[in-house]
Amino acid sequence: MIASPNLTRRAVLCAAGLILLGSAGIQTSSAISAGLFSSYGTFGTSALRMIIAALVLLLLVRPSLRGRERSEWMGIVVYGVAMALMNLCLYNAIDRLPLGVAVTLDFLGPCAVALMASRRLKEGLCAGVSLLGVALISAGPWGYFDLIGYAAGLGAAFFFGLYTVFAAKVGKAGSGLDGLALSVTVAALITLPLALPHLGQVSVSG
């Protein structure tokens, strides 16, 4: 069955809209999180974010632990590990670099994945241009260079790339929101030791 041009166009526009929405979400959440660094530190803020997200998703989704194959569990676990490490690296990059530069470095990961996964010349060129644009923004003349900040940003990019690959694997395995909830829970468990010293400081008023 061949998809109609209108259906394909709608799918492309929907995908582009979701990418823009996701990018805006990352920028906004990163800006909000940066305001918590002075209270909880970069590690503590990242860990608390994972714990809160896991609790909300577990409450809303109530994922089942039964009937999952070993390969599906492997994808869920790797997805969660990549999520946790990406956030830890990104927040440490944000702490040392301008927010825009840190988040731009982070997006090198999915851009590289798109480039490697492209099967057509047009797809490869689009991914390559995106990757070049991200690299140029990251290398802009900011007047200083923080080696640890850039290393953390590139680490976030690597794990964001891994996150992108395994997000697709978990989705294709039919896990859906159940898989996402379980992966976020894995991320929360990994970062829990970093959050424990700060749990007593958390309040709704901030």
Side-chain angles (χ1 to χ4, degrees):
M1 179 177 180
I2 300 176
S4 67
N6 290 334
L7 179 60
T8 302
R9 191 177 299 111
R10 285 198 298 271
V12 170
L13 290 175
C14 181
L18 290 173
I19 290 172
L20 290 174
L21 182 62
S23 300
I26 291 176
Q27 291 278 5
T28 303
S29 63
S30 297
I32 295 172
S33 298
L36 302 175
F37 291 169
S38 59
S39 299
Y40 308 119
T42 54
F43 290 137
T45 300
S46 179
L48 290 170
R49 179 187 179 187
M50 290 293 98
I51 290 173
I52 294 171
L55 291 174
V56 171
L57 285 172
L58 289 175
L59 181 63
L60 294 178
V61 179
R62 299 179 184 274
S64 174
L65 299 178
R66 298 179 180 178
R68 300 182 187 279
E69 297 181 358
R70 182 177 181 180
S71 59
E72 187 176 354
W73 275 114
M74 183 64 69
I76 288 171
V77 170
V78 175
Y79 184 23
V81 171
M83 189 185 305
L85 295 178
M86 179 192 76
N87 274 275
L88 289 172
C89 288
L90 175 60
Y91 285 6
N92 277 279
I94 291 172
D95 191 41
R96 293 175 173 271
L97 300 173
L99 177 62
V101 177
V103 177
T104 301
L105 282 170
D106 190 31
F107 272 90
L108 284 171
C111 284
V113 170
L115 181 60
M116 290 186 290
S118 60
R119 293 182 175 84
R120 299 177 182 176
L121 179 59
K122 185 177 180 180
E123 294 175 351
L125 288 175
C126 289
V129 169
S130 299
L131 187 63
L132 179 61
V134 170
L136 288 174
I137 293 173
S138 303
W142 300 106
Y144 68 93
F145 178 81
D146 189 297
L147 180 60
I148 296 177
Y150 271 82
L154 292 175
F158 173 80
F159 290 115
F160 197 1
L162 194 63
Y163 168 100
T164 302
V165 171
F166 277 88
K169 289 183 180 294
V170 170
K172 289 178 181 178
S175 300
L177 288 176
D178 279 23
L180 175 62
L182 292 172
S183 293
V184 174
T185 302
V186 170
L189 291 173
I190 290 173
T191 57
L192 179 59
L194 300 174
L196 289 177
H198 304 284
L199 291 180
Q201 305 171 20
V202 177
S203 65
V204 177
S205 61

